[in-house]
Amino acid sequence: MDRPRSRDDEFAAYMQARQASLLRTAYLLTGDRHTAEDLVQTAFAKLYLAWDRVEQQGSIDGYLRRILVNENNSLWRRAWKRREVATEVMPDTAHHDVHDGGAGRELWALVQTLPRKARAVVVLRYYEELSEAETAEALGISVGTVKSQASRALAALRDRAPASMSPREEER
C-alpha cells in the first residue's frame, strides 16, 4: 500500500533533482563556488518555507530561480561584501577541467566582467536556455529590457573577446 508522500519527502526529492543545476547557475551568477553554495542553500531554505504556498507545482523552477537572482542581488549590495582583506598567502583557486581547450573557461571569465544585471540575463537566457519571457519573469523586468540587456551584453562580449575566440577565426 502506497502511503502519500509527506511535504518533507516531496521537497527533498525536488531539491535532490535540482541542486546540481541550480549550483551551476549560481556559480555563473557569482563567479565563486563558495558564494554559489551559500546562495543555493539560502534559495532552498526560502523555497522550503513557501513550499505549501507555491500554487502551481510546474512553476517551482521559475520561483526558485527568482529567489536565486534576488538573493544574489542582495548579497551584492551588502557593504561587508565589498570589504577586501589582505593576506600574505594567495588562496588556492579551483581548477575546472574543461574539454574544450579552455574556451568555455575563457568565455565565462568574460561573462564575469559584465555588470551583474547583464550577467544575470546572459546566464538565464543562454545558459539556462530560458525564453525571453521566462527570463523577464525570473528577473522581474520587461521582455524588452531582457532583449536590450542581452543585446548590449553580447556586443560587450564580442568587443572584449580576443580574436582567437571568434568563430570566424576558426574557419580560416
Side-chain angles (χ1 to χ4, degrees):
M1 186 162 104
D2 288 336
R3 76 175 226 262
R5 288 174 58 158
S6 74
R7 172 186 193 262
D8 290 345
D9 292 340
E10 287 176 2
F11 183 80
Y14 177 80
M15 189 173 81
Q16 185 176 11
R18 296 295 296 142
Q19 190 168 10
S21 173
L22 196 65
L23 183 59
R24 284 189 298 271
T25 301
Y27 177 77
L28 293 172
L29 287 171
T30 63
D32 177 69
R33 177 150 178 100
H34 300 291
T35 304
E37 289 171 350
D38 290 345
L39 194 59
V40 169
Q41 183 177 8
T42 301
F44 276 126
K46 288 190 173 202
L47 176 63
Y48 181 77
L49 294 174
W51 188 251
D52 292 331
R53 293 189 313 262
V54 177
E55 293 176 16
Q56 298 174 353
Q57 290 295 311
S59 64
I60 294 174
D61 287 347
Y63 184 72
L64 187 57
R65 276 192 293 271
R66 181 69 181 253
I67 294 171
L68 191 73
V69 169
N70 288 344
E71 283 302 307
N72 182 50
N73 291 343
S74 293
L75 283 174
W76 184 81
R77 288 183 193 117
R78 291 186 185 144
W80 63 265
K81 181 76 172 154
R82 291 187 212 118
R83 277 189 252 139
E84 294 182 13
V85 178
T87 62
E88 291 189 29
V89 178
M90 289 292 292
D92 291 336
T93 57
H95 291 19
H96 302 284
D97 282 343
V98 179
H99 301 291
D100 61 359
R105 192 171 337 139
E106 259 185 275
L107 175 62
W108 286 110
L110 282 174
V111 171
Q112 293 299 315
T113 66
L114 294 172
R116 64 183 175 78
K117 288 181 182 179
R119 184 170 59 237
V121 168
V122 168
V123 168
L124 294 176
R125 182 76 179 97
Y126 301 107
Y127 177 75
E128 284 286 322
E129 297 180 358
L130 298 181
S131 69
E132 290 167 341
E134 291 169 327
T135 302
E137 184 179 338
L139 295 174
I141 57 178
S142 71
V143 173
T145 302
V146 169
K147 290 178 182 181
S148 64
Q149 287 276 337
S151 176
R152 281 189 226 123
L154 293 176
L157 290 173
R158 280 187 208 104
D159 289 345
R160 296 174 188 172
S164 63
M165 289 182 73
S166 172
R168 292 183 196 110
E169 187 70 24
E170 292 173 8
E171 293 171 1
R172 293 181 190 172

